[in-house]
Amino acid sequence: MGAGTRNIPSDAASDLLLLVPADGGLTTQAFPPLIWRLTRGHRGNVIVKLNPLGTTATELHIMGPFPPGDYGLDLSRSNFLLDTDQVYLWQLELLDPNTDAVVERSSGLIERLPEEFRSDTPAAAGLWFDALSELVDIGLSGRVQATNPAVLEQFLNSAGVGP
């Protein structure tokens, strides 16, 4: 897998995959889509953390359960704007349904570039989140629908993001 970094017990298989390259992703968008995949689902709650590097994270608690599938955070609905020329740490934690202890954690980096870097071909320009935004819609429930599932999987595979 190439997406983000993971912190799980060594004897456990990863259930959580952030859809961001291991070395981070670029965007020109103030509100890029933050997408994660749960391969087996999760009965507990989720905590999403987002912050510029070196600052305290803003936390969003999302109630479970979560069937297997793709989920997303629409930053515009959460009123969280990414500032330009900032690198952000995005973290997602799966909580145990009985104890609320963190059972799995994954993280990735996001850098927002100024508008002049926007491209009509974001994937070719290396604008990960701009390209991803053309391939997904985040519903009010947080479930993600791919506008073209085959193209989305090809995009993820081309960046080494995926199982």
Side-chain angles (χ1 to χ4, degrees):
M1 287 192 208
T5 59
R6 282 156 199 64
N7 181 6
I8 57 173
S10 60
D11 60 345
S14 180
D15 189 33
L16 172 63
L17 176 69
L18 296 188
L19 301 189
V20 60
D23 57 352
L26 301 175
T27 187
T28 61
Q29 298 176 356
F31 305 105
L34 303 185
I35 311 295
W36 63 91
R37 181 169 288 168
L38 291 172
T39 56
R40 292 186 302 255
H42 181 67
R43 292 187 341 241
N45 299 329
V46 167
I47 297 177
V48 179
K49 298 178 181 181
L50 187 63
N51 59 291
L53 290 177
T55 67
T56 303
T58 298
E59 293 187 5
L60 177 65
H61 296 250
I62 305 172
M63 302 294 289
F66 300 88
D70 293 344
Y71 293 87
L73 180 61
D74 183 332
L75 293 180
S76 65
R77 289 186 203 137
S78 302
N79 202 27
F80 192 101
L81 171 111
L82 299 186
D83 292 324
T84 56
D85 297 321
Q86 289 276 346
V87 176
Y88 289 81
L89 176 62
W90 167 33
Q91 300 176 78
L92 198 130
E93 299 174 341
L94 301 181
L95 304 181
D96 181 277
N98 300 313
T99 66
D100 276 342
V102 175
V103 294
E104 189 167 350
R105 177 182 293 121
S106 189
S107 63
L109 297 174
I110 306 164
E111 182 177 359
R112 180 168 177 217
L113 301 175
E115 284 290 318
E116 56 263 23
F117 288 94
R118 187 173 300 273
S119 173
D120 291 335
T121 55
L127 298 170
W128 172 263
F129 291 98
D130 295 22
L132 187 61
S133 72
E134 295 178 354
L135 302 172
V136 297
D137 290 317
I138 302 172
L140 291 175
S141 69
R143 290 301 298 251
V144 170
Q145 294 296 318
T147 56
N148 184 327
V151 171
L152 175 61
E153 291 307 315
Q154 181 181 15
F155 173 67
L156 296 176
N157 290 336
S158 73
V161 175

